[in-house]
Amino acid sequence: MISILNLHKLVNSSLNSISTISKTRIIRKLSSLHGNLTGIREELRKLGHGSVTFDPKYSRGIGLLTLQNPERHNALSGKMMAELSDIVDKLENVVKFNTNDNLNSVNNENKLNNVNELDKENNLIGIIVTGSRNTFCSGLDLSVAKDHILTPENGKKMSLLMQDTLFRFGQLPLISVAAVEGHALGGGAELVTACDFRCISETSKIRFVQVKMSVIPGWGGGKRLIDIVGGVNALKIMGTSDPITTQNGLELGFVDVIAPHGECVNRAREFLNRYVYFSERDERKGGNGNDDNTNENRINSVKVVRGLKLLISRTKNNEEYKNFLLYEHELFCSLWGQKENVDAVLNTRK
């Protein structure tokens, strides 16, 4: 007969084995789409101005990612692309605590004891993505494109990095909301599709203008748009370059929240608060976070919500999905930097 002590050891051994498998799968879950792109990231970092900032303490359980290039309507320069990728790196590392280690119940006790020493970013459940000065993002910074990226080789590098960054962003076990004031054009529209939900103001317009530039989406937004609104609607949106507004956005299932002008970020925060389950508990306990069960409640809440997001995002981390993105990348590269594309970009005002 197996003794109680040996049975206990056997159970612990099995739990450790399961945990190791779970960790391996989740680490693979956060893997990149195109492999190591450090060299490309550093090349692009030297191009243009603007910045991408991230405030992990914007609200309890919610971080705020802001695009800042107001002179170009928050268009993404190479520098901003690199910084966005940096932030995704950081978030991947931050979420490892709750999505990897806390899936291992054997180690939970030690982690709970040390929770107060952890960076508060470990309580993140959601992210709001927005732009500065009441506009979202006008896509690629054409002043940078005209001077540096308007060649097939550099267009390929840009596409590789942005596809990879937005793919990894979508794989994060964090619920994301795009808070769209003003316009989201071209690559800005692609960025909107990388979020789980979309909150737009009454006067906002989201427009896939790539066809006007004689290209297709190059940052993975074509595939994501198809997933959101279906193939026929995606063809209409991308093929005609007609804008998505509050009215047709709701009808298409593309828009989730409509906000008064200037209130998108606040409404996005209210929307995400429904997923931050520890907020109500902490408020009942006085909001000081000193209750014996508060930290445990936070960890359980974070773990559950992140687990649900992992469950959903897993459907977009398979060979078929990745192959579609690679095909989209190849089509984009076959068009970018060609005469029609170059002419269209050069004839567009900086």
Side-chain angles (χ1 to χ4, degrees):
M1 292 180 63
I2 300 176
S3 68
I4 297 297
L5 179 60
N6 288 335
L7 181 60
H8 180 71
K9 289 180 179 179
L10 180 62
V11 170
N12 278 342
S13 176
S14 298
L15 285 173
N16 285 328
S17 297
I18 293 171
S19 175
T20 300
I21 294 171
S22 296
K23 288 182 182 180
T24 301
R25 287 176 177 171
I26 291 173
I27 290 171
R28 188 181 302 124
K29 180 74 181 157
L30 298 176
S31 64
S32 67
L33 177 65
H34 294 302
N36 190 335
L37 300 175
T38 302
I40 291 176
R41 190 189 305 193
E42 295 313 310
E43 283 185 44
L44 290 172
R45 194 185 302 277
K46 302 172 185 177
L47 306 180
H49 305 285
S51 64
V52 182
T53 61
F54 181 66
D55 178 8
K57 302 174 185 177
Y58 167 70
S59 184
R60 182 172 293 176
I62 301 170
L64 180 67
L65 189 154
T66 307
L67 309 176
Q68 302 191 60
N69 191 8
E71 292 184 358
R72 304 293 182 189
H73 304 288
N74 298 325
L76 288 174
S77 64
K79 176 178 178 287
M80 293 171 70
M81 293 177 194
E83 290 178 358
L84 180 60
S85 193
D86 294 341
I87 290 171
V88 174
D89 285 352
K90 181 179 180 182
L91 289 170
E92 285 178 336
N93 289 325
V94 164
V95 299
K96 284 180 182 177
F97 169 71
N98 286 107
T99 48
N100 292 338
D101 291 338
N102 276 303
L103 284 176
N104 180 2
S105 59
V106 176
N107 293 329
N108 258 352
E109 183 176 353
N110 292 332
K111 295 298 180 182
L112 282 169
N113 292 334
N114 296 326
V115 71
N116 289 327
E117 301 173 9
L118 293 169
D119 192 300
K120 290 186 178 180
E121 292 173 26
N122 281 303
N123 283 331
L124 279 176
I125 285 176
I127 298 176
I128 297 170
V129 180
T130 193
S132 63
R133 299 192 187 178
N134 288 323
T135 191
F136 187 76
C137 175
S138 58
L140 171 64
D141 187 337
L142 293 183
S143 65
V144 173
K146 291 175 181 179
D147 294 336
H148 303 286
I149 305 180
L150 204 54
T151 66
E153 179 183 1
N154 288 337
K156 177 179 180 179
K157 292 176 181 178
M158 172 191 66
S159 176
L160 283 171
L161 182 65
M162 287 304 295
Q163 262 205 356
D164 186 83
T165 298
L166 296 183
F167 174 78
R168 292 190 297 122
F169 178 80
Q171 295 296 300
L172 291 168
L174 303 169
I175 300 172
S176 56
V177 180
V180 183
E181 295 280 2
H183 290 75
L185 307 177
E190 294 196 62
L191 179 56
V192 169
T193 66
C195 295
D196 299 308
F197 300 102
R198 282 147 292 279
C199 172
I200 75 173
S201 75
E202 296 168 335
T203 57
S204 295
K205 291 183 180 180
I206 301 166
R207 190 178 178 193
F208 284 78
V209 297
Q210 288 86 344
V211 68
K212 303 295 185 183
M213 299 290 106
S214 296
V215 292
I216 68 166
W219 299 353
K223 169 58 177 169
R224 293 189 296 269
L225 182 65
I226 293 169
D227 289 344
I228 297 169
V229 302
V232 172
N233 288 323
L235 182 59
K236 292 177 182 177
I237 291 168
M238 292 187 287
T240 64
S241 193
D242 288 343
I244 300 173
T245 62
T246 53
Q247 182 176 355
N248 64 1
L250 284 173
E251 294 172 356
L252 291 167
F254 187 86
V255 173
D256 301 282
V257 182
I258 296 175
H261 178 66
E263 288 295 316
C264 266
V265 171
N266 287 334
R267 292 296 174 88
R269 176 180 53 80
E270 292 172 1
F271 179 85
L272 277 175
N273 272 338
R274 297 186 296 170
Y275 298 90
V276 185
Y277 292 113
F278 55 72
S279 294
E280 184 179 350
R281 292 192 185 99
D282 287 350
E283 288 168 4
R284 287 205 304 265
K285 298 172 191 304
N288 56 21
N290 293 325
D291 187 276
D292 290 341
N293 295 323
T294 299
N295 289 331
E296 183 175 2
N297 285 337
R298 286 184 177 185
I299 286 181
N300 288 338
S301 296
V302 170
K303 184 173 64 173
V304 168
V305 176
R306 289 185 182 177
L308 290 172
K309 175 60 191 295
L310 280 177
L311 183 67
I312 301 300
S313 61
R314 192 172 185 83
T315 63
K316 300 179 180 180
N317 192 9
N318 54 62
E319 290 307 310
E320 182 179 0
Y321 189 89
K322 290 179 179 179
N323 286 337
F324 195 108
L325 289 178
L326 292 173
Y327 183 62
E328 185 175 328
H329 166 73
E330 291 171 1
L331 284 176
F332 171 82
C333 292
S334 71
L335 297 167
W336 181 267
Q338 302 304 312
K339 184 180 185 305
E340 293 85 353
N341 170 241
V342 172
D343 289 345
V345 174
L346 291 178
N347 289 328
T348 302
R349 287 189 306 163
K350 288 189 177 184

